[in-house]
Amino acid sequence: MLELVRCLVTTREVPRRPAYTWERRATMWIDAECKVVDDPDKGERLFRERRG
């Protein structure tokens, strides 16, 4: 939560997160720099899907 507050305080504009879709899987990455990341854990997700 502290990272979100820091992001809101230290940046002029917080990126707008698009609606979540299964194709894009847009996720708000809250860190020193706030940004939108598409499917951030794709490799792990695909691995788990293959293992069933």
Side-chain angles (χ1 to χ4, degrees):
M1 185 65 162
L2 181 60
E3 289 82 10
L4 176 59
V5 172
R6 185 178 307 125
C7 177
L8 294 173
V9 170
T10 59
T11 61
R12 291 180 170 235
E13 186 176 318
V14 175
R16 293 184 54 96
R17 185 179 64 86
Y20 187 89
T21 62
W22 288 106
E23 295 79 29
R24 187 170 174 190
R25 300 174 191 267
T27 304
M28 179 65 79
W29 199 269
I30 300 172
D31 203 348
E33 174 190 352
C34 295
K35 58 186 174 183
V36 175
V37 179
D38 290 340
D39 204 357
D41 297 315
K42 184 177 182 178
E44 182 178 337
R45 178 180 58 79
L46 293 174
F47 175 77
R48 291 177 184 270
E49 286 176 1
R50 278 182 252 150
R51 292 192 62 194

